[in-house]
Amino acid sequence: MPRHTVVAFDVELNALHRIIAGMGSLAEEQLASAVEALSVQDEERASAVVARDVEIDQAEQEVEAKVIRLLALRQPMARDLREVISAMKVANNVERIGDFAGNIAKRTTALREHAPAGPMKSVLRMAKLAGDMVHDVVGAYVAQDLDKALSVRDRDAEVDALYTSLFRELLTYMMESSQHITPCTHLLFVAKNIERIGDHATNIAETVCFLVQGRVPDEERAKEDMSSFTVMRPPGAEEQEPS
Amino acid sequence: MPRHTVVAFDVELNALHRIIAGMGSLAEEQLASAVEALSVQDEERASAVVARDVEIDQAEQEVEAKVIRLLALRQPMARDLREVISAMKVANNVERIGDFAGNIAKRTTALREHAPAGPMKSVLRMAKLAGDMVHDVVGAYVAQDLDKALSVRDRDAEVDALYTSLFRELLTYMMESSQHITPCTHLLFVAKNIERIGDHATNIAETVCFLVQGRVPDEERAKEDMSSFTVMRPPGAEEQEPS
């Protein structure tokens, strides 16, 4: 490309990075606010989270419009093309993370009553881990820091393991008292949403690998979410054979 | 573009459409197999669904590689550029649908015991609706049929409404007997996965609009998934005030 085109391309790419960094910060903040609202049943704060999600959605639309414009006008090649495609993918994943934060906030009303304190603490811990992953992986993307991206990817196993253990814990609470069933079911979905946020942070980490190295990492990640296979029996039912 | 370039572009675009049509058929088949395996506890069939998911993943990788190649070599503009971007988006959504089918199949083992027949029937009905949406929307994409795409988008409300009603039904079963808690929790996640498949079919419908009209449809869709706000109380607990 002629020199002025190269400069223009870099300017536009930097603009994309700035928008995505802003989306990442907001998504991280939204997740923290959502679980905080949930844990203290602050419905006003929960509504604010739901209302602000549109900002992340609009930023993703803006990224996509800029990407299409960049592709059409600059016709980038090789690494530059990967940059543009990656921006769209990262923005798409951050948008999904924002959606999950909104979904979590929406359950605040349903959790007004009888939400047991133990599982709620585990939810807060999971959300902190996932929020840190989002923070670090968006940082890794903007800085194109491969090592940082890979370390985020590794941390997803911890979120998955916490989720599986919380799944068992919540089922136990539900079996103890039917009063726990509604709040624990909502907490199950909250935990699942946080687990999915970890997955999307991992997707972003893999996009950073694709961007920096031109390919996604080879080895399959260890999956630690075993909840799909979890069977819990009510107390006293251990000896019963399934009919 | 010179004539031979136009022809080459169309050939490559048709190749993308063929791959995506194949992905769509397989995803639809995977969903049907997954819920069938689940309902009759056919673990062998469930394992086959989980194993075949890699075919959809690989097809998505193939679409992405072809898209990047097309962008670099043909540098498409306007509608052609939208075609290429849309192919990537549609493939991405179909890949997610495949993932959900795999997730559903994985719960077959955990559902060996005490899965109540009523909710299972509702799950099968939801899956049929969502599977038809996937079938029709991939057809609408390949045929670039805007009306068909919009009709799929409209049908998502039905899936959402079924999900909300199933959510209440499952919570009621769980409150009736602690034996139901584990299987109903897994069915809740299955139902949620099917509801998400409807969302992804809707995303594809909106991509078809973007492709044909150059913009996504204006009016916000009616959201019928009200499960996040649902509170159920155990029998006899209606008069109790939450502490």
Side-chain angles (χ1 to χ4, degrees), chain B residues 45-197:
Chain B
R45 191 163 183 184
S47 303
V49 171
V50 174
R52 284 198 79 181
D53 187 42
V54 70
E55 292 177 37
I56 303 183
D57 294 350
Q58 282 168 349
E60 192 213 4
Q61 295 293 316
E62 199 185 335
V63 168
E64 204 171 298
K66 278 186 189 292
V67 160
I68 290 180
R69 197 172 159 273
L70 257 175
L71 286 171
L73 295 186
R74 308 283 172 212
Q75 307 185 327
M77 306 278 281
R79 164 108 192 194
D80 289 343
L81 180 55
R82 288 209 303 276
E83 277 279 7
V84 174
I85 298 288
S86 298
M88 201 165 84
K89 289 174 123 183
V90 173
N92 182 255
N93 278 287
V94 177
E95 188 272 331
R96 293 293 302 129
I97 292 170
D99 282 349
F100 287 119
N103 289 346
I104 292 168
K106 276 185 196 158
R107 294 188 193 269
T108 299
T109 311
L111 268 172
R112 261 179 321 212
E113 35 191 298
H114 307 293
M120 184 63 92
K121 239 167 99 175
S122 306
V123 162
L124 291 172
R125 203 164 127 233
M126 262 187 89
K128 176 78 177 81
L129 277 176
D132 288 348
M133 284 174 72
V134 173
H135 178 90
D136 291 348
V137 84
V138 174
Y141 166 67
V142 174
Q144 313 227 330
D145 184 336
L146 184 65
D147 290 337
K148 196 171 178 181
L150 288 172
S151 92
V152 170
R153 184 173 178 263
D154 289 342
R155 275 144 62 192
D156 192 40
E158 206 179 329
V159 175
D160 284 356
L162 254 178
Y163 171 64
T164 303
S165 118
L166 187 53
F167 187 92
R168 298 181 69 89
E169 190 183 348
L170 285 166
L171 254 55
T172 308
Y173 272 94
M174 287 154 88
M175 284 168 186
E176 261 173 35
S177 159
S178 61
Q179 300 272 356
H180 287 148
I181 290 177
T182 291
C184 289
T185 300
H186 287 290
L187 278 184
L188 265 176
F189 279 103
V190 168
K192 183 69 194 172
N193 284 337
I194 300 172
E195 188 267 330
R196 296 287 301 133
I197 288 174

Side-chain angles (χ1 to χ4, degrees), chain A residues 167-181:
Chain A
F167 187 93
R168 297 182 70 89
E169 190 183 347
L170 285 166
L171 253 56
T172 308
Y173 272 94
M174 287 154 87
M175 285 168 184
E176 260 173 34
S177 160
S178 61
Q179 299 273 354
H180 287 148
I181 290 176

